[in-house]
Coordinates of all heavy atoms in Angstrom, one line a residue:
E39 N 164.5 198.0 -6.4 CA 165.7 198.3 -7.1 C 166.6 197.1 -7.2 O 166.8 196.4 -6.2 CB 166.5 199.5 -6.5 CG 167.7 199.9 -7.3 CD 168.3 201.2 -6.9 OE1 167.8 201.8 -5.9 OE2 169.3 201.6 -7.5
D40 N 167.1 196.7 -8.4 CA 168.0 195.6 -8.6 C 169.4 196.0 -8.1 O 169.8 197.1 -8.4 CB 168.0 195.1 -10.0 CG 166.6 194.7 -10.5 OD1 165.9 194.1 -9.6 OD2 166.3 194.8 -11.7
A41 N 170.0 195.0 -7.4 CA 171.4 195.3 -6.9 C 172.2 194.1 -6.9 O 171.7 193.0 -6.8 CB 171.3 195.9 -5.5
M42 N 173.5 194.2 -6.9 CA 174.4 193.1 -6.6 C 175.1 193.4 -5.3 O 175.8 194.5 -5.2 CB 175.5 193.0 -7.7 CG 176.4 191.8 -7.4 SD 177.7 191.5 -8.6 CE 178.9 192.6 -8.0
L43 N 174.9 192.6 -4.3 CA 175.5 192.8 -3.0 C 176.9 192.1 -3.0 O 177.0 191.0 -3.5 CB 174.6 192.2 -1.9 CG 173.2 192.6 -2.0 CD1 172.4 191.9 -0.9 CD2 173.1 194.1 -1.8
F44 N 177.9 192.7 -2.4 CA 179.2 192.2 -2.4 C 180.0 192.6 -1.2 O 179.6 193.6 -0.5 CB 180.0 192.5 -3.7 CG 180.3 194.0 -3.8 CD1 181.5 194.5 -3.4 CD2 179.4 194.8 -4.4 CE1 181.7 195.9 -3.5 CE2 179.6 196.1 -4.6 CZ 180.8 196.7 -4.2
N45 N 181.1 192.0 -0.9 CA 182.0 192.4 0.2 C 183.4 192.8 -0.4 O 183.7 192.4 -1.5 CB 182.3 191.3 1.1 CG 181.1 190.9 1.9 OD1 180.3 191.8 2.4 ND2 180.8 189.6 2.0
K46 N 184.1 193.7 0.3 CA 185.4 194.1 -0.1 C 186.4 193.5 0.9 O 186.1 193.4 2.1 CB 185.6 195.6 -0.1 CG 184.8 196.4 -1.1 CD 185.1 197.8 -1.0 CE 184.4 198.7 -2.0 NZ 184.7 200.1 -1.9
A47 N 187.5 193.1 0.4 CA 188.6 192.5 1.3 C 189.9 192.9 0.7 O 190.1 193.0 -0.5 CB 188.4 191.0 1.3
P48 N 190.9 193.0 1.6 CA 192.3 193.3 1.1 C 192.8 192.1 0.4 O 192.7 191.0 0.9 CB 193.1 193.7 2.3 CG 192.3 193.1 3.5 CD 190.9 193.0 3.0
G49 N 193.4 192.3 -0.8 CA 194.1 191.2 -1.5 C 195.5 190.9 -1.0 O 196.0 191.7 -0.2
D50 N 196.1 189.9 -1.5 CA 197.5 189.6 -1.0 C 198.5 190.7 -1.4 O 199.5 190.9 -0.8 CB 197.9 188.3 -1.7 CG 197.1 187.1 -1.1 OD1 196.6 187.2 0.0 OD2 197.1 186.1 -1.8
D51 N 198.1 191.4 -2.5 CA 199.0 192.5 -3.0 C 198.7 193.8 -2.4 O 199.2 194.8 -2.8 CB 199.0 192.5 -4.5 CG 197.6 192.8 -5.1 OD1 196.7 192.9 -4.3 OD2 197.5 192.8 -6.3
G52 N 197.7 193.9 -1.5 CA 197.3 195.1 -0.8 C 196.2 195.9 -1.5 O 195.7 196.8 -0.9
R53 N 195.9 195.5 -2.7 CA 194.8 196.1 -3.4 C 193.4 195.6 -2.9 O 193.4 194.5 -2.4 CB 194.9 196.0 -4.9 CG 196.1 196.7 -5.4 CD 196.2 196.7 -6.9 NE 196.3 195.3 -7.4 CZ 196.2 194.9 -8.7 NH1 196.0 195.8 -9.6 NH2 196.3 193.7 -9.0
V54 N 192.4 196.3 -3.1 CA 191.0 195.8 -2.7 C 190.6 194.7 -3.7 O 190.7 194.8 -4.9 CB 190.0 197.0 -2.7 CG1 188.6 196.5 -2.5 CG2 190.4 198.1 -1.7
K55 N 190.0 193.7 -3.1 CA 189.5 192.5 -3.8 C 188.0 192.5 -3.5 O 187.5 192.7 -2.4 CB 190.2 191.3 -3.3 CG 189.7 190.0 -3.9 CD 190.5 188.8 -3.5 CE 190.2 188.3 -2.1 NZ 190.8 187.1 -1.7
Y56 N 187.2 192.3 -4.6 CA 185.8 192.3 -4.4 C 185.3 190.8 -4.4 O 185.8 190.0 -5.2 CB 185.1 192.9 -5.6 CG 185.4 194.4 -5.7 CD1 186.4 194.9 -6.4 CD2 184.6 195.3 -4.9 CE1 186.7 196.3 -6.4 CE2 184.8 196.7 -4.9 CZ 185.9 197.2 -5.7 OH 186.1 198.5 -5.7
I57 N 184.5 190.5 -3.4 CA 183.9 189.2 -3.3 C 182.4 189.2 -3.6 O 181.7 189.9 -2.8 CB 184.2 188.6 -1.9 CG1 185.7 188.6 -1.6 CG2 183.6 187.2 -1.7 CD1 186.0 188.3 -0.1
A58 N 182.0 188.6 -4.7 CA 180.6 188.7 -5.1 C 179.7 188.0 -4.1 O 180.1 187.0 -3.6 CB 180.4 188.2 -6.4
G59 N 178.6 188.6 -3.8 CA 177.6 188.0 -2.9 C 176.5 187.5 -3.8 O 176.6 186.4 -4.4
K60 N 175.4 188.2 -3.8 CA 174.2 187.7 -4.6 C 173.6 188.9 -5.3 O 173.7 190.1 -5.0 CB 173.2 187.0 -3.7 CG 172.5 187.9 -2.7 CD 171.5 187.1 -1.9 CE 170.8 188.0 -0.9 NZ 169.7 187.2 -0.3
I61 N 172.9 188.6 -6.4 CA 172.1 189.6 -7.1 C 170.7 189.5 -6.5 O 170.1 188.4 -6.3 CB 172.0 189.3 -8.6 CG1 173.4 189.4 -9.1 CG2 171.1 190.2 -9.3 CD1 173.6 189.0 -10.6
A62 N 170.1 190.7 -6.1 CA 168.8 190.7 -5.4 C 168.0 191.9 -5.9 O 168.6 192.9 -6.4 CB 169.1 190.8 -3.9
T63 N 166.7 191.8 -5.7 CA 165.8 192.9 -5.9 C 165.5 193.4 -4.5 O 164.9 192.6 -3.7 CB 164.6 192.5 -6.7 OG1 165.0 192.1 -8.0 CG2 163.6 193.7 -6.8
L64 N 165.9 194.6 -4.1 CA 165.7 195.1 -2.8 C 164.5 196.1 -2.8 O 164.2 196.7 -3.9 CB 166.9 195.9 -2.3 CG 168.2 195.1 -2.3 CD1 169.4 196.1 -1.9 CD2 168.1 194.0 -1.3
L65 N 163.8 196.2 -1.7 CA 162.8 197.2 -1.6 C 163.4 198.4 -1.0 O 164.4 198.3 -0.2 CB 161.7 196.7 -0.6 CG 160.8 195.5 -1.1 CD1 159.9 195.1 0.0 CD2 160.0 195.9 -2.3

Side-chain angles (χ1 to χ4, degrees):
E39 186 167 358
D40 296 328
M42 183 181 83
L43 308 178
F44 65 93
N45 293 316
K46 291 182 182 179
D50 295 336
D51 57 2
R53 295 186 297 173
V54 174
K55 176 172 79 171
Y56 294 93
I57 302 169
K60 66 179 183 175
I61 296 173
T63 298
L64 302 173
L65 295 172

